[in-house]
Amino acid sequence: MADLELVDGIRRLVIVGASLGAARVVEEARRIGFDGEITVIGEEPHGPYDRPPLTKEFLAGEEEPAPFWHLPDPDSQGVTLHTGTKALSLDSRNRRVRTDKWDIDYDALVIAVGAQPRPLDVDGAQLDGVTALRTLDQARAIREALEPGARVVVVGAGFIGGEVASSARARGAEVTLIEARELPLVGAVGSLVAERLAYLHRQYDVDLLTHTKVRQIRGHGRAEKVSLSDGTTVPADLVIVGIGVEPATGWLRGSGVAISDGVACSPYLESTVPGVYAVGDVARWVNPWNGRSTRMEHWTSTGEQAEFVVRNALTTDRRPCSITPYFWSEWYGHKLQLLGEPADQVELIGNGGATDPFLAQYRYDGQLVGAFGFDRTGPLMKLRTAVSERLSWQSMLRRPEGTART
């Protein structure tokens, strides 16, 4: 991309959201030779930092690790970084972002505000000791409460809930993991793999309660008990809520930017307002890889999107953003990886033990559309090209001993 022709007239690039997406846009813009002004606006008091470790080693370690900062020296990259600054509205007619401190004009705008945790709508959710885990400050507060023997209730058994449960167990806490569906992550990985993940939680002494919802949180000023839909009550010193996120788009009302569970974008990641793009958790676009409207909440996808946003916003060589989804997680010292997307037809390769490595291959309409690896990084990565190109299932089928089919 070093020889790309830059668009005339774009001298002020503004990024709302001091996130991974913002940092990647900055890096890519400078890499292709953009020498105009770059301004990054972030609501948190910190600059862009790496969020994935917050639910992993940041919580699990005996000592708090230093955060990884994505823009450790913004001045060296010619970036004006405004932290502790909240975007209030977008005046797209005058190409201006209004904040709680000042107005900032732009020629090209990138929305990188991410998403905010979905609140738990029950009585007692506002008590002390009930928290989401999205920010560095929230992670630090949770770390302080994770003591051996602490009774931790994690609401939501998705990837984040699984990571938090794992980290809490590593610190010696007693963990109850509550999931409304029949299995953890069943929508993301399918029932065959989800059953293995349920066994994994229980193998590490997590009390996994499925088909269960929180009805009320009780306590005197601070959470003490969680009442469940099955009529039981579990004690709690700390309640961590991980029931999904909602794109942070409220400040865009009246701007002309269409919203549909995120910023509605073209395949070029451009919003309905010319010159306004989106990247990361907040962006919803038609992904050419599968032809569907998509919003990805994955670290790797954000980095890939940033390259397309910079190309499409700043250069004359525009290209649609096609991404093969990829996500990884760590639970109880095991590596979980998801490539592509799940499907009803699954080939499962591996032994039946809860902690034994295995590989799942997903097919749809005769094509290999996804794979899930549990401690199987090498075999999974060998499928990357096949999944990206959606090759025929028959050309990729593997049937070694230990294969289970559904």
Side-chain angles (χ1 to χ4, degrees):
M1 292 179 64
D3 297 328
L4 294 175
E5 181 182 352
L6 295 173
V7 175
D8 290 336
I10 297 181
R11 301 302 302 160
R12 299 169 299 181
L13 173 62
V14 174
I15 308 166
V16 180
S19 59
L20 168 69
R24 291 290 183 265
V25 167
V26 168
E27 293 165 2
E28 194 63 21
R30 292 308 189 206
R31 192 179 77 80
I32 67 168
F34 177 74
D35 61 0
E37 300 175 13
I38 300 180
T39 302
V40 177
I41 304 167
E43 187 171 350
E44 288 188 61
H46 317 287
Y49 56 88
D50 216 14
R51 292 187 191 275
L54 296 183
T55 52
K56 302 181 184 75
E57 56 265 29
F58 190 91
L59 291 186
E62 289 298 321
E63 297 183 3
E64 179 181 318
F68 180 84
W69 304 104
H70 285 294
L71 286 177
D73 186 11
D75 291 341
S76 68
Q77 293 176 285
V79 175
T80 301
L81 175 61
H82 297 298
T83 58
T85 303
K86 184 176 182 178
L88 299 179
S89 64
L90 171 62
D91 178 359
S92 57
R93 181 183 296 273
N94 294 301
R95 292 186 172 242
R96 181 172 298 139
V97 177
R98 301 191 184 281
T99 78
D100 58 354
K101 294 181 179 178
W102 42 67
D103 294 347
I104 300 173
D105 294 334
Y106 68 87
D107 299 315
L109 175 68
V110 178
I111 300 170
V113 291
Q116 53 204 10
R118 185 173 291 121
L120 185 63
D121 187 18
V122 299
D123 289 342
Q126 303 306 314
L127 289 171
D128 289 343
V130 181
T131 181
L133 204 179
R134 181 73 176 176
T135 69
L136 177 60
D137 292 339
Q138 287 171 332
R140 282 174 169 158
I142 291 171
R143 259 193 68 88
E144 291 184 8
L146 285 183
E147 300 177 347
R151 299 167 299 181
V152 177
V153 175
V154 181
V155 185
F159 280 112
I160 298 302
E163 291 173 357
V164 171
S166 169
S167 296
R169 288 295 298 133
R171 296 286 298 278
E174 299 175 8
V175 178
T176 301
L177 181 57
I178 300 170
E179 172 57 41
R181 300 192 66 176
E182 66 274 21
L183 290 166
L185 281 172
V186 65
V189 300
S191 59
L192 195 64
V193 173
E195 287 174 358
R196 292 285 190 98
L197 300 182
Y199 296 150
L200 179 69
H201 283 303
R202 291 169 176 140
Q203 184 82 8
Y204 285 89
D205 296 324
V206 169
D207 188 10
L208 172 63
L209 306 178
T210 58
H211 283 299
T212 305
K213 296 182 179 181
V214 173
R215 292 302 186 202
Q216 185 183 31
I217 302 173
R218 292 181 286 165
H220 296 85
R222 184 176 181 84
E224 298 173 5
K225 297 178 180 180
V226 178
S227 299
L228 305 177
S229 56
D230 62 2
T232 62
T233 300
V234 294
D237 300 308
L238 179 66
V239 179
I240 304 172
V241 180
I243 55 174
V245 296
E246 299 171 344
T249 56
W251 64 284
L252 292 169
R253 292 189 187 96
S255 67
V257 172
I259 304 299
S260 178
D261 184 35
V263 173
C265 296
S266 73
Y268 299 89
L269 293 174
E270 188 172 19
S271 77
T272 50
V273 172
V276 177
Y277 295 78
V279 65
D281 295 6
V282 75
R284 174 171 288 280
W285 89 112
V286 177
N287 185 358
W289 178 74
N290 59 9
R292 291 201 296 272
S293 178
T294 303
R295 189 172 63 80
M296 292 186 184
E297 300 171 5
H298 306 331
W299 189 94
T300 53
S301 301
T302 298
E304 292 182 68
Q305 287 177 339
E307 294 184 16
F308 284 97
V309 162
V310 169
R311 175 189 286 270
N312 296 330
L314 302 182
T315 83
T316 58
D317 186 13
R318 291 164 59 86
R319 295 192 181 176
C321 177
S322 181
I323 294 178
T324 304
Y326 171 75
F327 181 79
W328 67 273
S329 185
E330 289 182 355
W331 296 4
Y332 314 105
H334 299 280
K335 191 159 189 177
L336 288 65
Q337 295 168 285
L338 178 63
L339 175 65
E341 59 189 6
D344 291 338
Q345 294 176 303
V346 186
E347 186 97 5
L348 188 62
I349 304 168
N351 296 320
T355 59
D356 290 337
F358 69 89
L359 179 71
Q361 297 178 132
Y362 302 101
R363 73 179 184 269
Y364 175 77
D365 195 24
Q367 298 175 328
L368 183 69
V369 298
F372 179 92
F374 182 82
D375 290 335
R376 296 285 282 167
T377 297
L380 183 91
M381 289 298 108
K382 289 179 180 178
L383 296 174
R384 181 181 286 272
T385 298
V387 172
S388 295
E389 298 178 1
R390 302 173 77 96
L391 295 183
S392 74
W393 175 265
Q394 290 300 324
S395 68
M396 297 303 302
L397 198 57
R398 300 291 186 265
R399 294 180 181 171
E401 291 185 12
T403 295
R405 299 187 64 183
T406 64

